[in-house]
Amino acid sequence: MTYDFRIAAADTPTLYRDLASAIEGLISGETDAVANMANVSALIFETLPDVNWVGFYRNVGGELVLGPFQGRPACIRIKFGDGVCGVAAQTRQVQRVEDVNAFPGHIACDSASASEIVIPLIRDDELIGVLDIDSPNKGRFTEEDEAGCVRLGEILQRGL
Ligand code: SME
């Protein structure tokens, strides 16, 4: 098996469609969640333009704990309700934030981050964790990005 996924697409929906099928291929047949989160964060990081942090926070006993990621070292524990990730975990709603500096309680791990999208991952009504993607560009994540990331989340919450 080759791990050389090079995805270049003309438009955002196609990019996410190709990314979704690459992720399905990457995690199918592997049950180790850490290995899968590590590979998936690497693949998303190298595929999406203009991102500076991609990774997972896991629900460990009702608190978010840092999981595999790509980017600068990040804060390790986030309480539900705190920051963008904590709000996504508490509300179980996607958080798409145009300007993180305008988000009350935003936790700045990398001062370069300007916008962010966080996807809650839910299986059997349990919050497994969240997928967090940060960008150095304000307003980086569009509605098309949100739809694409939700699709990635659907694959991840089944496969992790
Ligand atoms: N910005 C996040 C914290 C995690 S880092 O961006 C990696 C937040 O406010 O939830």
Side-chain angles (χ1 to χ4, degrees):
M1 154 160 200
T2 171
Y3 288 91
D4 188 14
F5 295 95
R6 244 163 258 252
I7 302 166
D11 57 82
T12 302
T14 311
L15 181 68
Y16 280 99
R17 201 193 57 215
D18 293 353
L19 183 54
S21 44
I23 287 174
E24 276 184 311
L26 194 56
I27 68 177
S28 71
E30 178 52 65
T31 56
D32 189 279
V34 171
N36 284 338
M37 286 187 277
N39 259 344
V40 168
S41 59
L43 182 59
I44 297 174
F45 189 78
E46 76 167 8
T47 300
L48 293 184
D50 305 317
V51 297
N52 63 320
W53 201 92
V54 177
F56 294 88
Y57 280 89
R58 300 158 299 128
N59 178 7
V60 181
E63 189 177 27
L64 292 175
V65 181
L66 184 63
F69 69 93
Q70 297 278 306
R72 298 194 62 201
C75 48
I76 298 169
R77 289 175 186 272
I78 300 175
K79 292 198 185 338
F80 279 31
D82 284 358
V84 186
C85 290
V87 170
Q90 189 169 58
T91 61
R92 299 186 171 198
Q93 301 288 318
V94 173
Q95 300 297 307
R96 182 162 62 89
V97 179
E98 295 242 324
D99 177 1
V100 292
N101 294 312
F103 189 96
H106 167 251
I107 302 160
C109 294
D110 180 347
S111 60
S113 295
S115 64
E116 159 164 19
I117 188 164
V118 182
I119 312 295
L121 305 174
I122 296 153
R123 183 167 58 222
D124 299 333
D125 206 33
E126 296 274 321
L127 182 92
I128 312 166
V130 302
L131 169 65
D132 180 14
I133 307 177
D134 291 11
S135 170
N137 300 351
K138 239 195 237 179
R140 157 69 182 80
F141 302 102
T142 63
E143 281 180 26
E144 285 184 338
D145 286 286
E146 180 169 337
C149 288
V150 166
R151 172 83 190 104
L152 303 186
E154 284 163 5
I155 294 165
L156 294 171
Q157 58 202 6
R158 271 189 275 118
L160 286 183

